[in-house]
Amino acid sequence: MRSRSNSGVRLDYYQRIVHRLILAHQEPVTGLFPASNVNSHAWIRDNVYCILAVWGLSMAYKKIADQDEDRAKCYELEQSCVKLMRGLLMAMMNQKDKVEKFKMTQSPYDSLHAKYSSKNGLPVVGDGEWGHLQIDAVSLYLLILAQMTASGLQIVFSLDEVSFIQNLVFYIESAYSIPDYGIWERGDKTNHGEPELNASSIGMAKAALEAMNELDLFGARGGPASVIHVLADEAHKCQAVLQSMLPRESNSKELDSGLLCVIGFPAFAVDDAQLIHKTKDAILSRLQGKYGCKRFLRDGYRTPKEDPSRLYYERWELRMFENIECEWPLFFCYLILFHAFQNDKRSVQEYADRLEKIMVRSEDGTLLVPESYAVPQDLVGFEYQKPGSQLREVVGRCPFLWGQSLFILGRLLQEGFLAVGELDPLNRRLGAQKKPDVVVQVVIIAEDNEIRDKLAEHDLHVQTIAEVAPIEVQPARVLSHLYTYLGRNRKLGLSGRKSRDVGILSTSKLYSLKDRIFAFTPQFADLSRFYIASDNELMIDILKGEINFLKSAWDLLGRPLVTLVLKRIHLDQDKIPLAMIQTMRKLKSGYINGTRVMLGSLKDFLNTSAITDLSFLGSTEDGYPDRLHPDVQTYLDEHLLRSFSNRSTMNLRGAQLRPRTLRRRMSCKGAIKKTRSINVDSDNLGMEGPSPLTERRLSSVVPPPWLQANKQSHVSVFATTPEEGPSSPNLLLGNELVIRENIYPVDPHGPNRSAIDRRSEFVRQQEITVPKILIQRHRAETNFADTEVEELIAMLRETENLEEQGDILQYLVDTQGLDFNTGMLEEGRVVTVRDLLKGLYEKACQQKLWGLVRHTAGMLGKRVEDLAKAVTDLLVRQKQVTVGMPPNNEHTITAPLPEGELRQLIHDAYGDDESTAMLTQELMVYLAMFIRTEPQLFHEMLRLRVGLIIQVMAKELSRTLNCDGEAASEHLLNLSPFEMKNLLYHILSGKEFAVSSVARGNLSIVSCKSSRVSKKSQIGLGDPEGEDALMATIDDRQGQWLRRRRLDGALNRVPRDFYSRVWTVLEKCQGLAIEGRVLQQSLTQEMTPGELKFALEVETALNQIPQPEYRQLVVEALMVLTLVTEHNMVPTLGGIIYVEHLVHKANQLFLEDQRKVQGDATLCCAKIKDGKEQQQAASGMLLCGGAAYICQHLYDSAPSGSYGTMTYMSRAVALVLDCLPKHGEMECAIS
């Protein structure tokens, strides 16, 4: 026998260690590792990490296997890996019913268990007795399963196991929106059992999804049936959310050392090299100590101050754990691997030396990795005084197998027995390298020959659907249906994919099915979806966005391919819209918005596109893998006939028209307008909430004029003043306010008086004095109601005007309900009011009457298809969303909700105002588009308050168009979806814009290059007499700061690091009072400065303030307080600080100065008061219309400068706070 080489001897040494420390503990029956000698529970995560050393050693032996015994050792080690991975697989397959349920409920009680019995693989604790939902553990299992399979191990044996693993992929694919208990099994760090979104779980899931994609679980011996399919979009969503969270771990943990396994080995989940280093540096600077790293800040686990008798912590005691958290050597093992993969030998050596110093030697001299180091009880006081100074002692298990296994891997890498590529056969480590530019291929197909010829006139040559055969073009919904067959298994009772969503990455591939090839049009182009799909300009805008997205997100083999079908429905008065032609020409030029594109035909791109095989559609379970599943066959046959045929729309104008006198034409006028609730005119945005008096729309309470005795005179009144007619904001009778509709009441002495006075007093008396019982009485006499309805329906047939049809239908819905039978027949079917509304909705879409479209969509209860997805997109990027108008009707959405509940919530928030409810859904979709494509717009914003954003949009329109609030909200609701998105963009980015009018009375929003657009002053918005007088003196720069504060306040923007700086203020005083909410000092005991939960507490207090500009001044006052604390002027700020007092004090100082220098404010607030003024001030209206009793001119002052708001705030702080010295020299920190 030859003598062994040195390397062989050294490997034998490692083999003995692995055997003694790790394999000796492996249960012979199940192959699982118990937690310790006394605890037989086997955790999924720990088991997978334990076996990594065994897998690494087996590959090291494989390389030097020159002797039979080495080959035998190699095989033995490999089989131990297979045994363990199969043991875990069996334990999870026993819970297959949970996997099936979890796809639907995503409830923590339906999740797979996190630990099993190592003796028999059965559950050891109940569903509700442990934080079982740990997506990172299942993801880690899948990731390592993929890596081991790629390295040549055969772990999965049957097709049933393949379909179970396919379902595990569905189990983790929504990780980006599922709060779980995370890598430390704790959830929220107070350990009260609340799950939260964890970056480490999302990162691990992203890695697992990418590793599993198109992987053959039978290795080289498999066929199409053993391949796992992943929808690329799901992995990309995980990536986007992960990138928006890092270096934060979750709401309660601002940083976590567990992220090391996401940015480095084993997950390599981050593609952005800068972000990897930012996260690593944050962990090293804040969590690293002599004995390893802390898991996270204020982690009480195993510290001497922890009360071991209970699982949870009290909120106040978290502060006690600061600086004495346990340090875990495990993280030095991660750091060694991290640097080994970066090929940074110096750092590897540095951490290896540090680790060696803190390892424990066993009797025989083996180095063991302990679980953690804690400060001894008697040294806690010294450690508090000088963190990091005291010696620590080992607590927990030793050896800690998770750490020991990673330590051995690190050693094998350092000594050259393994190359990094062997631990990562799928090459995940290369993800952060720069990729070549993506070229996006675009194919445009005409629906029929007529459209093809129209395009040819513009020198654009395309094929029709018929000409691209044999390639079949289908809408995205067909692909989403086909994917529901993936992973179905009757024996296991598994039902396949539940989510119906297929994103742009999935539709940008070609699909082969037997000998057919399919191309799918993107989901956004599906016209059966939502009304925004009928706005061509918006569709083009979304297309550009998606092409841009493909440029950055595409990482599959081949080039992405976007297929678009141009249909009849896209034509505008039988012509192809100009915007479309221009875009196609741009595409033809080869570049669009900085992305390289190629326009061509499908057959040109066959060889360069990604093609996926839909082999899973075969009837494998019935033994015919080559035949299509019978259900699929019938679905495809039906669908091919139907997919691109047009639906006919119902025609409102029946055949038998009865001529009628038209004297009742005006009777329903304004029924739709009555439902509006956007409040602009009142200068205190949103101050006055809807009063409890609000009825369901008065159109159903006040009878229509033709029910009243003196019919004729009424009609004439309505006919003469149709604009102001039934849409006045409120009705004044003596001093009592009778509120109609859902419009906020305005102060009786306020700006709206004149508009109301213009209306005939007579009508007003009549409308109110008719008793409500009247309607009930007439309702009872059905014959009368019938004739009324018949007349209305006759009118409906006569009128060509869609707006009038809308008003009549609105009235019918209010009085009769949606399912009322109109007595008309269409092809032998009874026509209900709902059918008529649908017809109207489709016509309005074609004619682009957007206000009517929004309203009818709301009445029909339509909802944006992607609403739930849009809200989730915002929430998972740590932005909360509120709907409704502040302060009384605002609802905050803090967790993803199902589609139906969201729709109901929005509906409740706006009462009967269907148009605004629809607009809210629409804006949420646009916000989600922006946060996906331009996340930088949302920096320093925690809550998106859609109600306020709508008010500010209307206010901006009223400012630029110089019209009153009611006209502005009409204009807003009539903007096309594209212009609406554009306006929202300008408001989010703070860019100046102007409004230009285009054809058909539509408005168009244009960016202004210069910021000096003629801006009308904000002063006296609703006060026409004073306004003209003021106008002459006002320069067009006026209103700039007011407007900016209003925008920032409505968007909840705050300065950088604002929340962590407020934390330092709170530490030095007993509390901060804002608008009646007190932020207690105890919050600093519970939360760390950078914690998201703390930021949300502050945000909630600030959101109590209804006026956006006032909120911004409060933020500025808080900033001045932070400067006082940061420069350590005083040891403490005393008791509770009332922040509004500071603002009002600053306002007083400002007005005094204005009087001295005869400034602008002398025209309003700084005026010398006389009797009339006194009375007006008492009624709560400032002359200049400033919100919350603060002069409009203060809102409009720049922050800096000698008359700037910061100067006054600083003076106010000095005057109001008792703790600051009143005399003597003080260094000025604010100058």
Side-chain angles (χ1 to χ4, degrees):
M1 177 181 158
R2 286 180 303 159
S3 66
R4 277 179 77 59
S5 62
N6 288 345
S7 58
V9 176
R10 189 76 180 137
L11 269 187
D12 288 347
Y13 161 72
Y14 280 120
Q15 196 253 340
R16 283 195 300 280
I17 288 185
V18 165
H19 196 269
R20 203 171 52 236
L21 293 183
I22 298 179
L23 290 176
H25 299 291
Q26 192 171 19
E27 282 287 343
V29 179
T30 57
L32 303 177
F33 293 103
S36 64
N37 300 333
V38 288
N39 181 351
S40 67
H41 297 180
W43 270 262
I44 297 180
R45 183 185 305 101
D46 297 50
N47 271 257
V48 173
Y49 276 120
C50 285
I51 207 69
L52 286 181
V54 182
W55 177 50
L57 192 60
S58 76
M59 291 190 290
Y61 266 115
K62 200 185 259 177
K63 279 201 290 198
I64 65 151
D66 51 351
Q67 297 173 8
D68 288 346
E69 57 178 301
D70 288 346
R71 286 197 201 100
K73 278 177 187 159
C74 168
Y75 184 70
E76 187 191 330
L77 291 165
E78 286 182 347
Q79 290 313 103
S80 301
C81 297
V82 173
K83 174 97 179 168
L84 171 105
M85 296 300 277
R86 288 194 60 74
L88 287 173
L89 181 62
M90 293 309 109
M92 290 192 275
M93 282 184 79
N94 281 334
Q95 295 196 312
K96 56 185 183 296
D97 306 344
K98 286 185 162 303
V99 174
E100 181 57 31
K101 253 174 103 176
F102 186 82
K103 285 189 296 192
M104 297 299 292
T105 62
Q106 296 183 348
S107 145
Y109 299 113
D110 295 332
S111 69
L112 284 171
H113 282 197
K115 56 179 186 175
Y116 300 96
S117 157
S118 59
K119 302 267 188 289
N120 53 20
L122 295 175
V124 281
V125 288
D127 293 349
E129 294 163 29
W130 195 260
H132 282 302
L133 177 51
Q134 297 167 28
I135 291 177
D136 73 302
V138 179
S139 303
L140 176 73
Y141 174 80
L142 290 175
L143 170 67
I144 300 302
L145 172 71
Q147 294 277 27
M148 286 181 170
T149 305
S151 76
L153 298 187
Q154 175 84 47
I155 294 167
V156 176
F157 291 175
S158 72
L159 285 177
D160 292 327
E161 289 172 12
V162 172
S163 34
F164 179 74
I165 286 177
Q166 178 67 64
N167 277 276
L168 283 187
V169 167
F170 299 146
Y171 179 91
I172 64 166
E173 84 178 347
S174 325
Y176 64 92
S177 63
I178 302 177
D180 71 341
Y181 292 100
I183 186 169
W184 310 125
E185 309 192 284
R186 300 212 142 190
D188 185 287
K189 72 173 171 210
T190 51
N191 217 14
H192 280 254
E194 294 168 34
E196 48 182 15
L197 266 190
N198 290 294
S200 51
S201 297
I202 296 172
M204 201 53 89
K206 178 219 178 210
L209 289 170
E210 290 181 342
M212 275 286 161
N213 193 14
E214 304 296 321
L215 179 82
D216 193 329
L217 288 176
F218 292 174
R221 304 190 187 87
S226 51
V227 175
I228 295 291
H229 299 272
V230 179
L231 276 88
D233 298 274
E234 304 298 336
H236 191 269
K237 280 182 203 158
C238 289
Q239 174 182 330
V241 174
L242 177 67
Q243 286 195 326
S244 74
M245 287 178 80
L246 289 179
R248 180 188 299 287
E249 159 74 351
S250 68
N251 279 5
S252 71
K253 305 195 244 323
E254 56 175 289
L255 199 57
D256 191 315
S257 297
L259 290 169
L260 287 171
C261 66
V262 168
I263 59 174
F265 180 83
F268 302 107
V270 186
D271 298 349
D272 175 353
Q274 266 181 311
L275 193 55
I276 293 176
H277 287 289
K278 182 180 169 189
T279 306
K280 179 188 66 109
D281 295 343
I283 291 171
L284 296 188
S285 63
R286 302 192 58 188
L287 298 173
Q288 181 174 295
K290 266 193 296 209
Y291 296 90
C293 298
K294 301 163 177 176
R295 299 191 305 179
F296 47 88
L297 299 172
R298 299 190 179 179
D299 167 19
Y301 183 57
R302 291 221 175 101
T303 55
K305 289 274 187 189
E306 183 182 45
D307 177 352
S309 65
R310 55 174 192 209
L311 265 176
Y312 62 91
Y313 304 129
E314 296 298 350
R315 300 196 177 280
W316 50 265
E317 67 180 339
L318 286 172
R319 186 73 187 256
M320 300 191 313
F321 305 136
E322 197 162 319
N323 298 328
I324 59 161
E325 303 98 334
C326 289
E327 292 180 356
W328 295 58
L330 161 73
F331 297 114
F332 282 168
C333 303
Y334 273 119
L335 283 161
I336 289 173
L337 290 170
F338 178 87
H339 291 295
F341 274 92
Q342 299 264 348
N343 201 9
D344 175 354
K345 294 203 172 62
R346 214 187 73 239
S347 302
V348 169
Q349 197 49 53
E350 179 197 332
Y351 281 106
D353 296 344
R354 294 176 83 156
L355 184 58
E356 210 155 306
K357 286 191 196 120
I358 55 174
M359 287 172 78
V360 178
R361 279 194 187 276
S362 64
E363 290 113 43
D364 56 5
T366 317
L367 287 174
L368 306 179
V369 177
E371 186 168 1
S372 57
Y373 278 93
V375 181
Q377 181 76 50
D378 48 344
L379 301 177
V380 168
F382 300 110
E383 183 72 15
Y384 276 146
Q385 284 162 15
K386 193 171 175 215
S389 58
Q390 305 302 308
L391 288 174
R392 295 181 173 230
E393 57 191 12
V394 171
V395 288
R397 294 166 281 184
C398 184
F400 179 45
L401 291 189
W402 173 352
Q404 194 72 35
S405 171
L406 293 180
F407 168 68
I408 293 170
L409 274 188
R411 272 299 173 85
L412 291 171
L413 284 172
Q414 280 163 281
E415 296 185 21
F417 290 114
L418 278 179
V420 286
E422 290 170 287
L423 282 180
D424 177 29
L426 292 169
N427 293 331
R428 295 201 46 75
R429 65 192 181 287
L430 308 176
Q433 296 183 356
K434 198 161 165 27
K435 301 178 190 64
D437 273 356
V438 173
V439 177
V440 181
Q441 308 172 136
V442 184
V443 174
I444 293 171
I445 296 173
E447 185 178 35
D448 53 28
N449 295 348
E450 193 184 330
I451 292 182
R452 181 193 63 188
D453 300 340
K454 285 195 164 126
L455 279 172
E457 293 168 17
H458 295 277
D459 197 27
L460 295 161
H461 301 288
V462 300
Q463 294 180 302
T464 62
I465 295 184
E467 291 169 348
V468 295
I471 302 174
E472 302 170 41
V473 181
Q474 295 281 7
R477 55 176 185 274
V478 176
L479 180 61
S480 106
H481 182 80
L482 293 180
Y483 264 117
T484 56
Y485 291 91
L486 180 56
R488 285 195 188 182
N489 187 302
R490 281 200 300 272
K491 271 195 281 185
L492 291 172
L494 296 171
S495 68
R497 185 171 189 258
K498 279 286 171 283
S499 160
R500 305 298 311 221
D501 194 41
V502 284
I504 185 81
L505 292 173
S506 306
T507 53
S508 298
K509 298 193 279 192
L510 292 172
Y511 290 85
S512 61
L513 180 58
K514 304 291 164 274
D515 40 9
R516 302 156 76 174
I517 292 184
F518 288 94
F520 292 99
T521 56
Q523 204 165 332
F524 71 82
D526 214 343
L527 266 180
S528 62
R529 293 161 69 82
F530 188 56
Y531 64 78
I532 55 181
S534 48
D535 180 7
N536 296 327
E537 286 191 67
L538 183 70
M539 297 325 281
I540 290 169
D541 192 51
I542 295 176
L543 170 68
K544 289 178 184 167
E546 298 286 321
I547 288 178
N548 209 359
F549 168 78
L550 283 172
K551 172 174 119 178
S552 57
W554 184 262
D555 54 358
L556 306 168
L557 291 170
R559 291 173 171 176
L561 171 73
V562 182
T563 312
L564 298 165
V565 176
L566 193 60
K567 307 186 190 158
R568 276 276 162 79
I569 215 158
H570 292 138
L571 299 183
D572 193 4
Q573 295 167 344
D574 222 29
K575 290 195 196 66
I576 295 171
L578 186 63
M580 286 196 171
I581 298 290
Q582 288 169 338
T583 310
M584 288 183 208
R585 292 207 169 120
K586 253 193 191 158
L587 288 170
K588 208 169 159 184
S589 74
Y591 271 94
I592 186 161
N593 295 11
T595 308
R596 282 187 60 198
V597 286
M598 281 180 77
L599 192 61
S601 64
L602 274 175
K603 59 176 189 300
D604 303 342
F605 293 145
L606 270 180
N607 301 331
T608 50
S609 303
I611 297 190
T612 300
D613 189 12
L614 295 173
S615 51
F616 58 84
L617 295 172
S619 326
T620 316
E621 286 195 271
D622 303 329
Y624 298 111
D626 299 338
R627 282 193 210 161
L628 272 188
H629 194 294
D631 301 353
V632 179
Q633 190 62 59
T634 39
Y635 176 78
L636 281 177
D637 293 347
E638 273 181 25
H639 215 89
L640 287 182
L641 301 172
R642 249 196 4 232
S643 74
F644 282 114
S645 64
N646 291 333
R647 294 207 313 277
S648 63
T649 55
M650 177 188 294
N651 190 0
L652 269 178
R653 307 176 60 74
Q656 60 304 6
L657 281 176
R658 296 172 287 176
R660 277 265 156 176
T661 47
L662 293 188
R663 65 195 156 94
R664 299 215 174 82
R665 173 58 61 81
M666 295 309 300
S667 52
C668 296
K669 176 85 183 172
I672 289 185
K673 226 174 180 190
K674 282 181 188 165
T675 63
R676 304 278 196 252
S677 73
I678 302 175
N679 168 33
V680 185
D681 275 348
S682 134
D683 241 335
N684 312 5
L685 266 196
M687 254 315 257
E688 320 84 356
S691 121
L693 257 162
T694 314
E695 301 284 358
R696 171 162 166 87
R697 288 186 217 112
L698 250 105
S699 50
S700 59
V701 180
V702 173
W706 63 81
L707 290 189
Q708 296 169 0
N710 43 356
K711 230 182 271 182
Q712 287 315 36
S713 60
H714 253 264
V715 175
S716 63
V717 170
F718 269 102
T720 47
T721 58
E723 283 74 35
E724 283 137 17
S727 56
S728 84
N730 53 5
L731 305 164
L732 307 165
L733 238 177
N735 277 341
E736 64 185 316
L737 272 174
V738 178
I739 295 168
R740 319 178 67 227
E741 334 141 21
N742 201 348
I743 287 187
Y744 296 130
V746 181
D747 187 279
H749 309 288
N752 287 45
R753 185 66 201 251
S754 51
I756 296 164
D757 289 348
R758 285 201 297 268
R759 292 199 48 220
S760 141
E761 199 67 38
F762 165 65
V763 178
R764 198 178 310 142
Q765 300 285 346
Q766 286 299 89
E767 270 181 345
I768 291 161
T769 47
V770 177
K772 288 184 191 172
I773 314 111
L774 202 88
I775 293 184
Q776 296 350 95
R777 199 171 68 232
H778 282 310
R779 278 281 164 80
E781 307 168 18
T782 44
N783 58 349
F784 181 83
D786 286 351
T787 53
E788 174 204 322
V789 170
E790 267 175 34
E791 289 188 356
L792 282 176
I793 289 170
M795 278 171 50
L796 193 60
R797 288 178 167 162
E798 286 158 9
T799 174
E800 282 285 355
N801 181 336
L802 293 189
E803 301 279 351
E804 282 179 27
Q805 294 182 8
D807 282 341
I808 295 171
L809 287 172
Q810 170 73 53
Y811 178 72
L812 279 174
V813 171
D814 282 345
T815 53
Q816 312 291 337
L818 273 174
D819 295 312
F820 175 74
N821 175 358
T822 58
M824 290 159 71
L825 288 179
E826 167 102 9
E827 296 169 1
R829 279 186 319 114
V830 171
V831 177
T832 60
V833 174
R834 181 185 309 254
D835 297 328
L836 294 176
L837 258 181
K838 277 186 187 149
L840 177 65
Y841 166 75
E842 290 179 6
K843 275 192 183 158
C845 277
Q846 279 166 7
Q847 295 188 22
K848 316 271 186 260
L849 297 167
W850 297 112
L852 192 58
V853 168
R854 287 189 176 98
H855 190 78
T856 46
M859 284 169 69
L860 287 166
K862 284 189 176 295
R863 56 169 187 254
V864 186
E865 300 272 334
D866 299 337
L867 183 62
K869 207 174 87 193
V871 171
T872 305
D873 273 337
L874 294 165
L875 290 172
V876 294
R877 288 172 175 80
Q878 298 91 58
K879 308 288 176 217
Q880 294 189 346
V881 186
T882 71
V883 297
M885 299 293 179
N888 302 358
N889 266 9
E890 204 169 19
H891 300 284
T892 307
I893 303 170
T894 53
L897 292 173
E899 202 91 38
E901 282 180 40
L902 266 177
R903 168 105 180 79
Q904 196 49 49
L905 183 86
I906 292 174
H907 192 83
D908 296 345
Y910 294 104
D912 296 319
D913 182 3
E914 303 288 1
S915 321
T916 313
M918 254 5 255
L919 181 56
T920 298
Q921 298 189 36
E922 199 181 311
L923 289 178
M924 284 177 166
V925 173
Y926 302 153
L927 285 168
M929 284 178 191
F930 290 140
I931 205 165
R932 284 196 295 265
T933 53
E934 302 190 49
Q936 71 281 1
L937 288 177
F938 295 85
H939 281 332
E940 314 300 334
M941 287 159 66
L942 272 185
R943 272 209 180 122
L944 303 170
R945 301 168 74 185
V946 185
L948 260 189
I949 291 177
I950 292 177
Q951 285 187 350
V952 168
M953 286 167 92
K955 205 144 196 180
E956 285 286 272
L957 277 183
S958 101
R959 181 180 68 82
T960 21
L961 295 170
N962 201 11
C963 60
D964 69 341
E966 195 176 310
S969 47
E970 273 307 303
H971 282 310
L972 179 68
L973 288 167
N974 278 304
L975 283 183
S976 77
F978 173 69
E979 297 302 349
M980 187 71 74
K981 178 172 179 242
N982 213 343
L983 177 61
L984 177 64
Y985 179 79
H986 280 89
I987 280 178
L988 279 178
S989 57
K991 287 191 177 136
E992 289 290 341
F993 67 91
V995 179
S996 69
S997 176
V998 287
R1000 289 218 206 119
N1002 288 346
L1003 298 175
S1004 152
I1005 310 289
V1006 229
S1007 296
C1008 301
K1009 291 290 174 279
S1010 93
S1011 61
R1012 293 176 62 100
V1013 186
S1014 64
K1015 285 201 284 291
K1016 293 288 178 280
S1017 155
Q1018 291 279 351
I1019 295 183
L1021 245 181
D1023 165 27
E1025 305 80 69
E1027 190 161 346
D1028 301 326
L1030 276 173
M1031 264 324 182
T1033 58
I1034 285 176
D1035 165 3
D1036 68 353
R1037 276 199 309 270
Q1038 193 105 32
Q1040 211 166 348
W1041 280 103
L1042 169 65
R1043 174 169 170 262
R1044 189 161 158 190
R1045 284 196 172 95
R1046 196 170 270 163
L1047 288 184
D1048 284 346
L1051 296 170
N1052 285 11
R1053 274 222 179 86
V1054 293
R1056 292 190 72 162
D1057 304 327
F1058 171 72
Y1059 300 107
S1060 52
R1061 293 166 81 172
V1062 171
W1063 191 91
T1064 55
V1065 174
L1066 204 48
E1067 223 183 0
K1068 295 207 170 174
C1069 65
Q1070 279 163 23
L1072 290 168
I1074 300 171
E1075 194 79 16
R1077 279 290 282 262
V1078 180
L1079 293 169
Q1080 299 286 355
Q1081 188 180 14
S1082 60
L1083 287 176
T1084 58
Q1085 305 286 322
E1086 178 191 343
M1087 305 171 189
T1088 54
E1091 200 172 303
L1092 202 61
K1093 269 169 51 183
F1094 176 73
L1096 287 168
E1097 289 284 345
V1098 179
E1099 193 57 45
T1100 307
L1102 286 173
N1103 278 6
Q1104 300 297 312
I1105 303 176
Q1107 311 90 330
E1109 55 269 54
Y1110 183 42
R1111 172 203 149 100
Q1112 270 327 82
L1113 282 187
V1114 171
V1115 168
E1116 286 176 37
L1118 284 167
M1119 284 307 283
V1120 172
L1121 287 173
T1122 64
L1123 292 170
V1124 173
T1125 51
E1126 280 166 19
H1127 290 273
N1128 284 330
M1129 294 181 170
V1130 281
T1132 161
L1133 297 175
I1136 292 184
I1137 299 174
Y1138 293 89
V1139 187
E1140 285 116 305
H1141 287 192
L1142 298 175
V1143 181
H1144 285 284
K1145 188 72 189 164
N1147 187 42
Q1148 270 177 350
L1149 296 168
F1150 170 74
L1151 293 178
E1152 284 166 22
D1153 278 5
Q1154 286 284 306
R1155 286 195 192 101
K1156 282 180 203 152
V1157 298
Q1158 283 298 303
D1160 287 352
T1162 47
L1163 292 172
C1164 50
C1165 305
K1167 234 184 200 168
I1168 313 304
K1169 296 262 192 299
D1170 58 28
K1172 184 172 147 250
E1173 306 285 318
Q1174 297 280 282
Q1175 165 218 334
Q1176 196 153 15
S1179 75
M1181 282 302 291
L1182 295 183
L1183 200 64
C1184 57
Y1189 299 107
I1190 304 283
C1191 179
Q1192 191 92 315
H1193 289 282
L1194 180 63
Y1195 286 128
D1196 202 19
S1197 308
S1200 55
S1202 53
Y1203 292 101
T1205 50
M1206 292 303 258
T1207 317
Y1208 291 112
M1209 293 286 180
S1210 318
R1211 284 167 58 188
V1213 168
L1215 288 169
V1216 175
L1217 293 188
D1218 309 331
C1219 57
L1220 290 176
K1222 295 284 179 269
H1223 305 289
E1225 288 294 306
M1226 256 194 102
E1227 184 195 347
C1228 177
I1230 296 161
S1231 52

